Structures are given as structure tokens and as C-alpha cells.
Amino acid sequence: MDKNVNQTLRERLLMDSGWRFALGHASDIKRDFDYWKGKPFAKQAEGRGAIHPDFDDSDWREVCLPHDWAVELDFEHSSDNDIDYHGYKPIGRPNPATSIGWYRKRFSVAADDKGKRLSIEFDGIFRDSQIWLNGYYLGRHESGYTSFRCDITDCVSFDGPNVLVVRADASQVEGWFYEGAGIYRHVWLVKSNPMHVAHLGTYVVSEVGDGFAELTLQTSIVNEDDLEKACTIESAIYDADGRCVATVQSEPKPIGAWKEYEFNQRVRVEQPRLWDLDTPHLYRLETTVREGEALTDVYETSFGVRSIRFDPDLGFFLNGRHVVIQGVCCHQDHAGVGTALPDRLQYYRIEKLKELGVNAYRTSHHPPTPELLEACDRLGMLVMDEHRQVGCGEEIANQLRSLVRRDRNHPSIILWSIGNEEGGIQDTEAGARAAKTMKRIVHELDPTRLVSYGGNNGGQSAGINGVVDVRGWNYWKIGANLDEYHKEHPQTPMIGSEEASTLCTRGIYENDEERGYVSSYDENFPGWGSGSEEWMNYYAKRPYLAGAFVWTGFDYRGEPLPYRWPCISSQFGIMDTCGFPKDNYFYYQSWWTDQTVLHLFPHWNWPGKEGQDIDVRCFSNCEEVELFLNGRSIGRKQMPHLGHLSWMVPYEPGVLMAKGYRDGQEISSVTRETTSAQSALQLIPDRSGIDADGEDVSCITVQIVDDLGRVVPIADNEVIFTVTGPGVLIGVGNGNPSSHEPDKYIESDAVWKRKAFNGLCMAIVQSTKQTGELCLTAESSGLAAAKVNIQTKACKVRPST
């Protein structure tokens, strides 16, 4: 189908730019721009203040989406547990002046669009949002995580600017971790003809045979017109190379006025290219809708062909091949940007996880942004897609329906989770009834995947655990004998929905409560958790366990454990908030990948500890490792399976070296050297070329190095950043769980800066829509400055308004 023809039938325009933003107030009407004054809910278009189209917002700050206003706030020491667990940002009812956010955007709709159906789609707003267009109240959406849409056909203006207003109220939390605040995901304007594919109206199911795949295509068509009309649809399947591999056309079907009809079609694809971890091939369904002979809609759906199966004795199978789940749980925030991640950061994070050997991602504990699932589809990452909470009533049911309808075409998803650790109801009869209803809703919308739940209630088989299809275990240590449970429930597949909770601070090798740091020796974890080696060895001996999701892939804001203030983020991550690896990263990489891994730690800069024993450890998948200090052998040892090696070494400055052997032959070596004083900065971009689309980003690692170019592992120099050319800084970070420095500077004349943490920090730069050379300069007192050039390349920019 000609794309130009397609765009005249259906348009999906990005609405991320040109917003005005201001903080409101949860208890002061005047400071909340007269919200509640007058009759905003008594008479349409009579709302005062910021609701009214003529309100003067010229002194509001201009922002682009995604936007998280919470990350812009100062840290605030508080004894309130909700503030504490949300990363010490002043969000919540005790902070009325910083918990309400107002957004306003002006946009135009052409007169040519009269007669079309128009809607605005919000991918996610945190939280409790209310929407107005041109003074008309469009509705309220409570969830901070589910996507939703508002039909604006009746109140849109074709002869003047339209004013879209959003009030987000983050006074109430939904989780016990940092959640951000505001319109932190994309917004879209969608235009279609009256006869069109319904919102989220396609569903593709594949059955893989020997050399073929049978596809079932369910397509819902709506006729939003006053007359009955005959409708025909044609479904064409295209592979990743753009070749049409199958087509099927329906018979004409009359669809009544303002009615919806579901077409069901079957089509066969010969020699299908299966979606898999290393070859994540995606197909495209193009649905063409005709009213008589007139073309009215073209709708595209991305999907994959693959088979999945959970076996109660042998675990998980993908395309008939046994795959051990090597998963991680992740929250959605990142250094520098909070929860407002540009799309590229979703790919950056999944790429980092795949390098580590991760093959599965749990969206804990809420529905993810659509772009995360797109990254998992395209890069080859399995997903456990999780609902925010177990519950009853239409609000929870509709949130669940929204999640499943939106996400069910993603081949990366292998399991639905209806919730996590609902201690108040998970063992109750009422909890079982609610879970049974939720499971029924999921299976009605998607009968191809099983339903699980993250349970932390030991061996209980009543309540929620007695209802779900796949038993999820949050921590094998908590009051259960898994072998006995498996014996008593031989037909129930089981998976570690959450494991480990190992606490480590990158580059730190002793616990320091005053500074909020935890030793990186894989020895600290809460009572429910375990060290990496402990849980890995436990699961390896039990093939009936499908694998597990480690808590967590990255550090995340909030839930500061084991220490509170000054610590403002978690330390469970295998990587820190920037994506810089901790030592445990290399333990998992050793046993989760086929690449040769040889990692030696700690660093070898210990002034004042000459002659004292240093605990030197090695993570590796080499068969044997020999350690040397300044050329002298400290000993050669055999690496235990799923284990590590250690030596106590009296410290002397110089070179610590490890050599790895396989079949008696040296295959790898690594050194840790005592560095000289820091002398310069080095900048390493994750990509040296990005798209000039105003969205793409490059994550630039800043290293503090000595005169030989070696990273100084104890350096904490403050770094100042400037950008010239077609780009902007959007965030800085360093992975320090106790840093109270700003991640963002919102004043136009602000000086962007960040201290290094154990030799590293990061700057995230974003393109504008101009091509050219973006230059980031990093400077620090007493050090040689560094520059890096990022090419912003011509590209196809997403249609927007």
C-alpha cells in the first residue's frame, strides 16, 4: 500500500512538543489556577482558570514529552515512609505544592478533516488525570500506568486553535517505589474515517506446524456513522524484508450504524521465519478496509510467529526448544530522566541486559510503556507483562482489559502476571475469586498465554496461588519447600517471579551506613533474599523451575535498602541507574552467556593499606584461574560451576593480574592496576551518530583517567558539561545511590554538572531536528577537558502536531 494513500486514510500524529507546564496546588484553589472555582462539572465549557481555552499560560514553562516533573524536584529528607520509598521527592499529600501538574497544548486541525473520527491517545500519565479540550470535559483516568484514549470528534475546532488541558494529580501513590509524575509517556492525535479498524482492534494468533504456520486474524471494524454500510477487509502479511507472504479477503459484511463487527480469518504462511531470542523476526499485518469500492482505512499490526509452552517438570519451551528463563525485574526509571524515557533509552537498557545474558524481562510491577515492548520484540527479549494489582470491580477489570488488548500482539510476551505480593488478600477466598475473574478476563482476550502472579507467601496453595496457571515464587527461602510443593502439585508449572535481592554499590567494597553504601562482594541481602550464587545453585538443581527473574536488572529510585537517608535509591541492581555494571554483572555473564568471561575485583587503589590483606575475587567461566601480583603467582585454582574464586592478597601497589585457562591453555587475562592521580576526562558515547528527529539520544560515559588513560576507580571530580550544535542535554547521572545532585537543570542559563562516582558519570544528549555535529564538552578543575562529536543524521521524522 502506498504510504501517502495510507496517511490520507489514517493519521497518527505525535503530540509531544509545544506543551506548557506549571505546578498547581492540591489544597489552594488560587495557586491551582482556580480549579474547582465556578462550575467546571456543572456546565460544559464554563470552567475557569487553566481549564478555560483563553487562559494566559505564557509564563508557564515550555516542555516536551515525555516529561516527569518529580525528577526535577529537590530531594527532601522526610520520615514519611511513602516519601522515603518514593526516593525522597516531595510528592504526595504532605506536599500539596508539588503534587499537582498542569499541561496545556495548542494545536490545529484542518477543515479537510471534517467528517473524520478524531481521538487523542495517552500512553501513560502519572496519575489521576483529568482532560479538557476547548473547555469540554473529556474525562478522568485514574491509573498511572495504563494507556487510554479520548474521542474529541464532537468538540474539536476546525477554524481556530484547539486547547488541550491535562491536570495530573500525583498526590496518591500506586506503588512503593519511585513512580514519577506527569505526562511521562507519548501522546498521539489519531484521525480516521468513520469506517475503520477499532482501537486496538486486531489480534493475531499463530500456530506453528512443520514448515508452515496457520494464522488466525481477528479484526474488529467499527462503523461510526448514522447509516448501515457494507464492509470488506483484506489482510496481507509482510515479512521483515517487505515481501507479501500471504493474503486473505473477507466477504462483504453489513455493519449497522454505530456498530462493531469482528472478522475472523485464517491464512497459511509457508516456511515461516520464527521469532526467537537471537533471530527476532517480525511480520506485519496490513489490514485494508473498504466500504463498497471505497478505501476507508489501512491499519498495520506488528507480530511474530513463534510457539511457547510451560511444562510442569521441564520448564519453558520456545519454538520447541528448552529455554531457561534468565530474567530480571525492572522498574521504569533511569538516571537523568526519571520515568520520562526517550524511546532510544528503552533500547539502550534492553541492549545492556542482553549483553549481560538476560533473556527475559518482568515489567514489575505495572504495565510498561509500549516502546519497551517494541524494543523487546525487535531485540529478542522475553517478557512477563504485569498488571499493577489484583482486585475486583470495573476499574481494575478495565485496567486489565486495556493492558491485554494493547499488548497481546507482542511476540516477546510469554506470560501475563495479574499482580505482585498482595499480602492482604493473596491467601484469602476473596483473593481467589478476584484472581479467578482476572484470569478469565485475560483468557477471554488472549487464550494463547498463561497467567501468573508474584507470590511471597511460601507454600500456600490457597487463595491467588490456587487459581493462576503458573505458580510464581517471590524468593524460594520464604517459608516453603519447593520440592514438596512440586510433588504435591505435579501439574503446576513454576517460575521464580522474583529472586536474589542482592545488595551492592558499584565500586564499593565495605559496608558504609553513614554514606549509604553496600559492599559489592555479593554478601548483603535482606532476610527474604539471597546471594547470586546461592539462588543460582538452588535453581540449577531443579529443572521443574522454569528459571527466575532477578530483583533487579538496574538500580531504581526509591525503596532505599538496607539504608535510608542519605541513600535515595535502591541497590538491588546488577547495574546501577546509569547502566554501569556492578561486579555481580560479570557473575551472571559468566554463567548466562557462552562468551569467555574473566572479571577480577576489587580495584587496586588502596593507599594506606599497604601490607593489609585484600579480599581479591574472580568471576569467570574459565576452567582455571591463576592470580599474579607484580609478576608473582598467588595461586592457580579450579573454578567451581556457578561459583567464584577468591584469594587474600597483602596489598602492595602495582599490577594484579588474572589468567584464565581452558583445557590447560591460557585463553584470557585481565589486570587491575594501581593508577596514578587523575589527570584527564574521557568521553565514550554509546552511539556516535543519532537521528535528527528531536527524539534520539546518545548516552555518553564520562571516565576520570590518569596520565596512562586508566580509569581512576576512586575519583569523584565534579564535571561541568556544555553542548553546542544541534542537540541538548536532557539528563546527567552517576549511579551513586546517595547523590542529591540534580539530574536535570530546568533554568535556561543553568550550568549542567555532576560529580563522578568511583571514576564514572554519564551525560545524556538529545538531538534537535537539525542535522550537523553535536559537540559535548566536559570540564573539571585540574583535569584535561574532553570533547566528543555526535553526528545528527537526516532521517524520516515522525508525523506530529
Side-chain angles (χ1 to χ4, degrees):
M1 176 67 62
D2 187 313
K3 294 296 182 183
N4 293 327
V5 173
N6 190 353
Q7 290 177 1
T8 64
L9 300 172
R10 172 184 289 267
E11 291 183 87
R12 193 166 191 257
L13 306 176
L14 191 63
M15 298 186 73
D16 283 359
S17 63
W19 290 82
R20 293 282 181 172
F21 168 77
L23 288 172
H25 202 284
S27 59
D28 186 326
I29 293 175
K30 183 175 180 61
R31 293 166 66 186
D32 204 28
F33 308 108
D34 290 338
Y35 180 66
W36 283 113
K37 202 171 185 181
K39 303 183 290 293
F41 301 106
K43 300 286 186 180
Q44 284 292 353
E46 291 191 12
R48 299 185 186 181
I51 296 171
H52 198 280
D54 294 336
F55 175 81
D56 182 6
D57 58 19
S58 59
D59 61 343
W60 288 18
R61 180 159 59 95
E62 186 169 346
V63 298
C64 289
L65 308 182
H67 176 244
D68 172 7
W69 87 70
V71 76
E72 301 170 352
L73 302 176
D74 292 335
F75 294 99
E76 184 177 292
H77 190 191
S78 172
S79 59
D80 185 288
N81 191 65
D82 285 333
I83 303 299
D84 172 334
Y85 264 51
H86 282 73
Y88 292 102
K89 292 292 187 176
I91 296 288
R93 291 197 68 192
N95 298 279
T98 49
S99 297
I100 305 293
W102 286 88
Y103 296 83
R104 289 170 54 91
K105 178 180 170 66
R106 291 171 174 81
F107 66 98
S108 298
V109 177
D112 291 347
D113 290 323
K114 286 184 178 179
K116 292 188 175 181
R117 303 303 301 179
L118 306 174
S119 62
I120 294 176
E121 297 179 0
F122 296 89
D123 285 345
I125 302 175
F126 197 89
R127 108 170 255 287
D128 195 6
S129 56
Q130 294 172 285
I131 319 295
W132 292 264
L133 181 70
N134 300 331
Y136 288 83
Y137 183 57
L138 299 182
R140 178 179 184 180
H141 189 77
E142 294 184 22
S143 169
Y145 296 104
T146 56
S147 303
F148 65 101
R149 67 190 286 267
C150 299
D151 190 303
I152 63 169
T153 306
D154 295 339
C155 57
V156 72
S157 173
F158 298 98
D159 54 6
N162 292 275
V163 181
L164 179 63
V165 180
V166 177
R167 182 182 188 267
D169 184 346
S171 298
Q172 291 288 349
V173 301
E174 292 190 47
W176 50 98
F177 40 84
Y178 179 84
E179 298 182 277
I183 311 179
Y184 70 103
R185 296 177 181 173
H186 294 307
V187 179
W188 309 86
L189 173 62
V190 179
K191 307 176 184 180
S192 61
N193 289 308
M195 181 80 78
H196 61 271
V197 175
H199 179 58
L200 305 175
T202 58
Y203 176 42
V204 183
V205 175
S206 59
E207 300 171 59
V208 180
D210 186 8
F212 67 93
E214 289 284 344
L215 305 184
T216 300
L217 314 177
Q218 296 180 9
T219 308
S220 294
I221 304 296
V222 290
N223 174 21
E224 295 181 321
D225 193 85
D226 293 330
L227 300 174
E228 179 182 283
K229 296 179 179 180
C231 176
T232 304
I233 69 167
E234 179 182 286
S235 300
I237 309 297
Y238 294 86
D239 66 15
D241 299 322
R243 296 177 300 182
C244 183
V245 297
T247 60
V248 61
Q249 183 168 314
S250 74
E251 294 295 324
K253 174 67 182 180
I255 303 180
W258 302 101
K259 299 295 183 180
E260 182 171 337
Y261 179 79
E262 182 179 275
F263 288 87
N264 286 276
Q265 300 171 303
R266 297 273 292 181
V267 65
R268 184 180 177 111
V269 175
E270 301 293 341
Q271 300 300 319
R273 298 162 67 180
L274 301 185
W275 186 94
D276 214 319
L277 296 170
D278 295 325
T279 55
H281 185 269
L282 293 175
Y283 286 92
R284 174 171 57 90
L285 165 64
E286 186 173 273
T287 305
T288 302
V289 182
R290 285 184 170 82
E291 175 192 323
E293 296 298 318
L295 194 61
T296 64
D297 195 14
V298 175
Y299 186 88
E300 294 186 351
T301 305
S302 177
F303 70 97
V305 175
R306 51 97 179 107
S307 67
I308 57 174
R309 176 170 64 90
F310 281 89
D311 184 281
D313 294 315
L314 300 175
F316 175 70
F317 290 79
L318 175 64
N319 298 325
R321 185 183 80 261
H322 181 247
V323 174
V324 176
I325 298 298
Q326 300 170 175
V328 291
C329 304
C330 289
H331 286 314
Q332 62 179 346
D333 63 291
H334 192 83
V337 296
T339 58
L341 276 68
D343 294 354
R344 166 59 198 166
L345 272 181
Q346 307 292 351
Y347 286 80
Y348 173 86
R349 287 163 64 89
I350 298 301
E351 287 168 358
K352 291 292 182 184
L353 292 172
K354 284 187 70 77
E355 290 170 8
L356 159 63
V358 171
N359 63 16
Y361 185 110
R362 179 185 177 204
T363 69
S364 45
H365 300 293
H366 51 73
T369 187
E371 288 73 27
L372 170 71
L373 298 177
E374 290 172 9
C376 292
D377 284 349
R378 295 182 182 278
L379 297 175
M381 178 72 69
L382 306 173
V383 175
M384 180 179 183
D385 199 351
E386 189 153 282
H387 188 252
R388 173 67 286 280
Q389 62 178 325
V390 177
C392 58
E394 281 305 295
E395 175 63 32
I396 297 296
N398 286 334
Q399 289 182 23
L400 181 61
R401 291 186 184 101
S402 171
L403 168 68
V404 178
R405 284 197 182 103
R406 189 197 69 176
D407 294 351
R408 59 187 176 176
N409 286 313
H410 289 281
S412 54
I413 297 173
I414 61 169
L415 199 59
W416 301 106
S417 171
I418 57 173
N420 176 75
E421 297 184 3
E422 294 281 357
I425 64 169
Q426 64 185 359
D427 296 331
T428 67
E429 184 179 335
R433 290 196 298 267
K436 186 176 181 180
T437 296
M438 294 180 77
K439 189 175 84 165
R440 173 178 51 79
I441 290 171
V442 172
H443 286 170
E444 284 175 353
L445 296 171
D446 177 24
T448 72
R449 298 176 180 92
L450 300 180
V451 171
S452 188
Y453 163 77
N456 63 337
N457 53 340
Q460 294 292 329
S461 58
I464 297 172
N465 290 328
V467 171
V468 293
D469 305 312
V470 177
R471 171 65 199 265
W473 292 92
N474 282 13
Y475 306 103
W476 65 272
K477 280 186 174 180
I478 300 181
N481 184 317
L482 268 64
D483 295 329
E484 288 296 320
Y485 192 94
H486 174 57
K487 185 177 180 179
E488 293 169 2
H489 303 83
Q491 301 305 313
T492 302
M494 295 162 61
I495 192 169
S497 42
E498 195 168 310
E499 273 301 346
S501 279
T502 312
L503 293 156
C504 299
T505 307
R506 177 180 58 79
I508 297 294
Y509 298 97
E510 60 183 4
N511 293 345
D512 187 337
E513 183 173 358
E514 183 177 348
R515 294 195 295 168
Y517 299 154
V518 189
S519 163
S520 198
Y521 278 127
D522 191 23
E523 296 175 337
N524 294 278
F525 44 84
W528 63 80
S530 56
S532 306
E533 294 183 33
E534 186 179 14
W535 85 262
M536 284 277 284
N537 276 280
Y538 182 90
Y539 272 69
K541 297 172 183 174
R542 292 163 173 82
Y544 62 82
L545 293 170
F549 294 87
V550 173
W551 189 265
T552 53
F554 300 85
D555 283 346
Y556 56 93
R557 299 165 185 275
E559 208 167 23
L561 292 172
Y563 310 124
R564 303 296 174 91
W565 187 269
C567 189
I568 48 83
S569 77
S570 81
Q571 303 192 59
F572 296 112
I574 302 171
M575 291 175 276
D576 67 19
T577 54
C578 293
F580 296 142
K582 302 180 185 180
D583 293 296
N584 260 10
Y585 177 103
F586 300 96
Y587 172 78
Y588 287 109
Q589 192 179 54
S590 295
W591 306 112
W592 280 359
T593 71
D594 294 329
Q595 67 189 77
T596 298
V597 179
L598 182 61
H599 176 69
L600 189 63
F601 64 104
H603 59 75
W604 208 236
N605 281 40
W606 300 102
K609 290 193 175 185
E610 286 77 9
Q612 297 181 31
D613 280 347
I614 303 295
D615 186 353
V616 175
R617 300 191 185 186
C618 178
F619 290 143
S620 180
N621 50 18
C622 295
E623 292 175 354
E624 294 179 295
V625 177
E626 187 171 11
L627 184 67
F628 299 84
L629 176 59
N630 293 327
R632 306 188 309 272
S633 176
I634 306 298
R636 181 164 169 168
K637 298 183 178 182
Q638 186 172 356
M639 177 65 69
H641 181 63
L642 298 180
H644 75 280
L645 295 176
S646 64
W647 299 261
M648 297 304 293
V649 182
Y651 176 66
E652 63 180 59
V655 178
L656 195 67
M657 173 183 284
K659 293 183 178 181
Y661 302 88
R662 187 170 295 143
D663 296 327
Q665 301 297 313
E666 180 183 336
I667 58 171
S668 183
S669 65
V670 65
T671 63
R672 292 289 175 262
E673 301 180 25
T674 307
T675 68
S676 54
Q678 51 264 50
S679 64
L681 299 168
Q682 283 186 352
L683 301 180
I684 305 172
D686 80 303
R687 294 184 304 153
S688 58
I690 59 178
D691 289 338
D693 58 3
E695 301 183 64
D696 204 2
V697 300
S698 180
C699 299
I700 302 173
T701 298
V702 183
Q703 297 183 338
I704 311 295
V705 299
D706 67 6
D707 52 6
L708 295 180
R710 301 172 296 188
V711 175
V712 180
I714 56 176
D716 63 355
N717 306 64
E718 184 177 76
V719 181
I720 296 174
F721 300 99
T722 55
V723 170
T724 58
V728 293
L729 273 163
I730 62 167
V732 290
N734 60 12
N736 181 349
S738 297
S739 174
H740 298 167
E741 301 167 275
D743 287 79
K744 304 178 82 70
Y745 293 83
I746 60 177
E747 298 83 5
S748 59
D749 59 349
V751 176
W752 285 72
K753 55 189 177 181
R754 189 73 165 195
K755 283 188 174 181
F757 180 59
N758 295 328
L760 304 175
C761 61
M762 175 173 283
I764 304 173
V765 295
Q766 188 170 52
S767 67
T768 62
K769 292 184 180 180
Q770 286 74 47
T771 60
E773 194 168 77
L774 179 165
C775 179
L776 175 72
T777 300
E779 300 173 284
S780 185
S781 178
L783 303 183
K787 293 184 178 182
V788 65
N789 294 321
I790 307 294
Q791 298 297 320
T792 61
K793 305 173 294 183
C795 65
K796 184 177 181 180
V797 177
R798 293 199 278 196
S800 62
T801 183

